[in-house]
Amino acid sequence: MGVRGLQGFVGSTCPQICTVVNIQELAEHHRTKYPGCTPTIVVDAMCCLRYWYTPESWVCGGQWREYFAALRDFVAAFTSAGIKLIFFFDGMVEPGKRDEWVKRRLKNNREISKIFHHIKSKRDEPGRNMFFIPSGLAIFTRFALKTLGQETFCSLQEADYEVASYGLQHNCIGILGEDTDYLIYDTCPYLSIGDLCLETLETIMLCREKLCESLGLHVADLPLLACLLGNDITPEGMFESFRYKCLSSYASVKENAGKKGNIILAVSDYISKVLHLHQGEKKIEEMLPLGPNKALFYKGVASYLLPGQISPWLVQKPKVIITDKQVASLNPESKQEVPMCIDPESKPEVPVCTNSESVQEVPMCTDPESKQEIPMCTDPESKQVPMCTVPESKQVPMCTVPESKQVPMCTDPESKQEVSIYAYPEVKQKLPSEAEAPLNLEAFMCMHPEIKQEDTMDIEPEIKQVTMLPDSEILKVARMHHVHSESYLVYNIMSNGEIECSNTLEDELDQALPSQAFIYRPIRQRVYSLLLGDWKDGTSTGPVVKEWFVYPGNSLRHPDLVRPLQMTLQGGTPSLEVLWLSQDPAAQARRLDSLLACFNLSSSKEELQAIESPLRALCCLLIYLFVQVDTLSLEDLHAFIAQALCLQGKSTSQLMNLQLDYINSRAVQLGSLLVRGLTMLVLVNSACGFPWTTSEFMPWNVFDGKLFHQKYLQSEKGYAVEVLLEQNRSWLTKFHNLKAVVCKACSKESRRIVGRTHWNSHYTGGRQYEHDQWRRY
């Protein structure tokens, strides 16, 4: 979200900060200045999802073929200009930002209620002004970009820090995103995705130096300004009284700036006139006062400091030493010395290039194990020989793929070519998140001994997530898959025991369909059993995973505490070492058995294996859904199968031109429900060691929102199967085969799928399954 009020202020009061630039010209200038370096832009992908999703229809579950085509055009525009793109996605929600995350999810709930009210009253697609991104868009975008040959990273903390850090360390020509935090970080230029014209590669560059000039500040003052105005770490209300004190004594109020704009000017004026005096830091504490918020305030300022940077507001006191006991209590895993920060003023002229053969800026030494060069941490004060610390990433074993057919693949729906998502071995050498921690707690305490150890309670959990993990080889493999966007939720479950899922298009007034959070919970519980399996001693009830899932009636004040659910698997549950690393030919069979057991479909293995890809994974998901949800009818099954078959013969332009008679709110929910199921397939497949190629459950291969909606409306009206299949005889045989597999598997669970005319009028559904009750409230 960035800094409160800064975006509006820049647009209305300081337009000189914004400059129209041509990215291709920036790239040419970069090539001239740094021969041999590939011009690179680092992309905050989460900021770009709305820009990338250009299809007119979004409410039906997603127009995935159209979306894939839009991504391909985006990548092609930069590739043709000789510009390299590096994409970053949010990998987890930091504990300190959970309240902000909850606030946004509850706001989204209100927007979703308006969407369903519109659908039920107007029966048409809501306009773009009500746009809500389709479920799973961020997850599947990662795999789409990998299919297109792009380097894609998933963060180990808030992505904006890793984006800013990567941009600075790799001398990128810019950061492409839409977040005012990029004006605060002292990193490469900030380019607006919202203003990008793809045809000309022109956009707006927001200049932090010009912002400082307008406010009378230095770039090093911006983190302090951001925290005083309020951001994702320091709540807006924390310094409200201080801001009004500044405003009341500010003599240069501007009428065109508005209230928020004048507050920004007043606080900046205070920083420039008062806090630049001697002992400015002490003045902050006297003026605010910080009180119990001291640790949070310093954490907020320090969160903007990239590796090698210092702040004049966090005065270093190198002579103060924390005892070994104190360090151990803060970070018992750490055996490293407390590193000193490097003064950004002393940066050498030579840039860091993204090319492996180019000259490096940071002093390097060689890791005797890997023979690779790694950066040293230099202490400019002590002039001692720098200590070489081997980043954890150097110890991460490469994942051995037993057979080539097991390598996770994504398929380009146009070219039909499969691309390995392990196809970027050079990326393994430069994990951006593994080379440095965002905020070294020991160094932070060394700089600020006046902050008591108990004051760091708000800081410590965040650091634990990144630097206090158990020293497990299998966890390092999970971490590697996470960082390179090859898995979904697995590392979060193993490292933190906490996961989240954002809003889904679900109608809180419709009680007939349970929330996806409950429908897919048994799958997640079996995955927890697989990933956290050491507890199975017969007496323990198992660990608890904190689930922050959005569903109607959930206030999100606390997470749902969910325990693992043991799987029924012949021969017992295999270890993660077997599933992830074994090259034994029998291991592949164990992987598939584990995947089917997560869906409770072990008894249908033979029938499912007989189905061709990509319909096999979809069939697995449909069986699970129809067993779980009694309110799914035969008409729903016909629509799901018909759309999957017809999709195989449709081009992107045909799907784009598809017109719907009207929009049905139940079909909207079913479309989102199926796509959420596809994300569960990603989770299970990665947890089980990739028994299926990823292309089998990429939505552009098995689902289109408008096409499903069309088939749903036809099926609801009682159209014959031949009409649903557009009179295609070859699809008719496949249709009946798929339907037979689903119905047979459901009958094994005493679930008979019937048409809606057979439903009891009072029936509302709500099937109890695997000790998990669905309670909407």
Side-chain angles (χ1 to χ4, degrees), residues 611-625:
I611 300 172
E612 63 183 25
S613 175
L615 299 175
R616 176 176 48 185
L618 180 67
C619 191
C620 170
L621 182 56
L622 290 178
I623 295 170
Y624 178 83
L625 277 175

Side-chain angles (χ1 to χ4, degrees), residues 674-737:
L674 187 86
V675 174
R676 283 294 185 201
L678 295 176
T679 68
M680 285 297 103
L681 276 163
V682 177
L683 166 63
V684 174
N685 195 56
S686 52
C688 295
F690 306 102
W692 284 345
T693 57
T694 312
S695 62
E696 294 207 32
F697 35 85
M698 289 298 107
W700 47 86
N701 290 329
V702 294
F703 181 79
D704 179 87
K706 276 200 298 186
L707 185 60
F708 167 71
H709 217 94
Q710 182 192 63
K711 302 306 174 187
Y712 178 91
L713 296 179
Q714 291 174 346
S715 183
E716 188 182 44
K717 292 174 183 175
Y719 284 22
V721 170
E722 290 79 6
V723 177
L724 296 182
L725 297 175
E726 302 170 7
Q727 308 299 334
N728 188 312
R729 290 184 176 277
S730 63
W731 291 342
L732 190 61
T733 303
K734 291 182 180 180
F735 177 93
H736 287 299
N737 287 341

Side-chain angles (χ1 to χ4, degrees), residues 6 69 122 137 205 281 283-284 305 333 358 402 441 458 487-488 503 570 650 662 670 715 767-768:
L6 189 55
K122 307 285 188 181
L137 193 68
M205 176 188 287
E281 185 184 20
K283 286 280 186 183
I284 293 178
L305 301 182
E333 297 294 324
S358 56
L441 190 58
D458 287 334
S487 66
Y488 169 57
N503 307 75
Q570 190 174 2
K650 301 284 185 188
Y662 59 93
L670 291 181
S715 183
R767 182 182 181 86
Q768 293 185 10

Side-chain angles (χ1 to χ4, degrees), residues 40-195:
T40 302
I41 290 177
V42 56
V43 183
D44 185 338
M46 301 302 287
C47 293
C48 300
L49 294 178
R50 287 174 173 267
Y51 175 89
W52 288 332
Y53 192 88
T54 54
E56 287 184 13
S57 178
W58 49 270
V59 81
C60 297
Q63 303 311 111
W64 295 96
R65 288 268 180 92
E66 293 179 57
Y67 181 64
F68 190 96
L71 283 177
R72 186 176 55 231
D73 292 343
F74 180 86
V75 169
F78 286 90
T79 303
S80 62
I83 299 169
K84 183 179 181 180
L85 299 173
I86 304 289
F87 297 87
F88 278 82
F89 290 81
D90 277 328
M92 57 181 61
V93 178
E94 296 181 20
K97 299 192 176 182
R98 178 62 68 187
D99 288 345
E100 188 62 37
W101 184 88
V102 167
K103 212 179 291 182
R104 294 179 197 176
R105 303 292 84 74
L106 295 178
K107 180 176 179 287
N108 288 346
N109 278 344
R110 294 190 292 272
E111 293 175 1
I112 289 172
S113 294
K114 293 176 184 176
I115 290 170
F116 276 102
H117 176 76
H118 176 97
I119 292 170
K120 287 189 275 191
S121 59
K122 307 285 188 181
R123 301 183 78 198
D124 63 11
E125 175 102 22
R128 190 76 181 192
N129 61 314
M130 300 181 78
F131 176 68
F132 195 85
I133 65 171
S135 298
L137 193 68
I139 300 161
F140 293 118
T141 301
R142 302 175 200 171
F143 291 99
L145 290 169
K146 283 184 170 295
T147 304
L148 295 167
Q150 301 304 294
E151 289 185 27
T152 308
F153 294 113
C154 196
S155 72
L156 290 168
Q157 65 221 56
E158 194 75 11
D160 58 6
Y161 180 92
E162 296 191 14
V163 167
S165 179
Y166 191 98
L168 176 68
Q169 294 183 343
H170 293 82
N171 192 37
C172 294
I173 62 175
I175 290 170
L176 193 59
E178 205 69 44
D179 189 333
T180 49
D181 275 336
Y182 295 127
L183 269 175
I184 307 300
Y185 287 109
D186 187 5
T187 181
C188 60
Y190 165 32
L191 306 171
S192 167
I193 181 67
D195 295 293

